[in-house]
Amino acid sequence: MHKAYTVAFYNIENLFDIKNDPLTNDDDFLPTSKKRWTKKRYENKLMKLGNVISKIGNENTEQSPSIIGLAEVENKTVLNDLVNHHALKNENYSYVHYDSMDERGIDVALLYQPKDFEVLNSETFSVYIENEAGLRDYTRDILLVTGILHSEKIHVIVNHWSSKREGDLETQYKRIAAANRVIYIINKLKSEDVSAKIIVMGDFNDNPDSTSVTLMENKCQLFNPFKTVWSFEKGSLNHNFNWNQFDQILFSINFFEVQNSQLTYESANVFNSKFLTQYHGKFKGQPFRTYVGKKYKGGYSDHFPVYIQLKT
């Protein structure tokens, strides 16, 4: 009987605490802000996220993900509150998180179940970008976590690349810079171990067929199952009634090797259960968000989680 492990990624849409941090731009997420980010709303969000995380991929594995990358996390406080919330507490998650210099004060993080995954090492890599004026544009760092999953050493690279807010082509260079940084990290890992098993996950703010993602895929010989998961009717987020697949998990092709391998790739999917969607109206079927602009909706996130399953 083979066992399956779920490896997931989830952009959780601005998980901020309710305290003012003078060092970051968190002023939108305070009880006194226009968004009225109160303790009650924060607690509701933690409960909802805990419920989602515990269910990702569990129809095949009967357990919550062994590893889950997160984007849009403010700090360690919110991660502590999330893993200790009663909706998730029984899963006994630990996490890896570093504060980055991102202008919005949001970072990536990795949750993991110590019973499945033993962390050996972790570090971050910053992405150097300049704006039009030649000034440093601070974005999310890339997180690398190395550990043992089911007696196999793997490297997990967690990303949240620059958004398209100022336009797709205008910001493309930022995502290509991030892709090149991942290529650098992978080359470094492979120089130390030519058969390194590598998983690259994140919100790339680009689709599987975009320049930045295909550059990374081709240069590093990665496999991207989300090329075929993504379709006209399916994606991880919806913009103007079009499905995008910004959230993806790619991996080194040695996850297909059955010989001398503890873990092999089995499947990939978007976790878009009905409870995560809007039930009514013209946005029916789209992710049920926490906010639309300044308007509080009380949902989960504007993204669906994505996941792959590895079998032993």
Side-chain angles (χ1 to χ4, degrees), residues 127-129 139-140 142 159-162 172-185 204 212 216:
V127 181
Y128 190 84
I129 304 169
T139 183
R140 279 77 64 172
I142 297 168
N159 299 265
H160 184 196
W161 294 359
S162 300
Q172 187 186 44
Y173 74 96
K174 297 181 179 183
R175 290 182 295 282
I176 287 174
N180 280 318
R181 197 68 172 134
V182 174
I183 293 165
Y184 163 82
I185 297 165
F204 299 109
S212 62
M216 178 176 72

Side-chain angles (χ1 to χ4, degrees), residues 7 20 24 36 43 59 80 129 140 143 155 173 200 215 225-226 260 270 279 306 309:
V7 175
N20 185 23
T24 63
R36 298 208 308 284
E43 286 286 329
E59 68 284 351
N80 272 327
I129 304 169
R140 279 77 64 172
L143 173 63
H155 308 275
Y173 74 96
V200 182
L215 172 75
F226 287 89
N260 4 322
V270 176
Y279 285 9
V306 295
Q309 278 171 336

Side-chain angles (χ1 to χ4, degrees), residues 161-164 167-169 171-176 178-179 202-214 224 230 236-237 244-248 250 303:
W161 294 359
S162 300
S163 82
K164 300 187 178 186
D168 186 355
L169 291 171
T171 55
Q172 187 186 44
Y173 74 96
K174 297 181 179 183
R175 290 182 295 282
I176 287 174
D203 173 0
F204 299 109
N205 270 300
D206 260 338
N207 282 314
D209 59 359
S210 62
T211 308
S212 62
V213 177
T214 51
N224 187 354
W230 179 41
S236 61
L237 72 158
N244 286 307
Q245 189 70 55
F246 290 175
D247 307 273
Q248 300 160 59
L250 301 85
H303 292 243

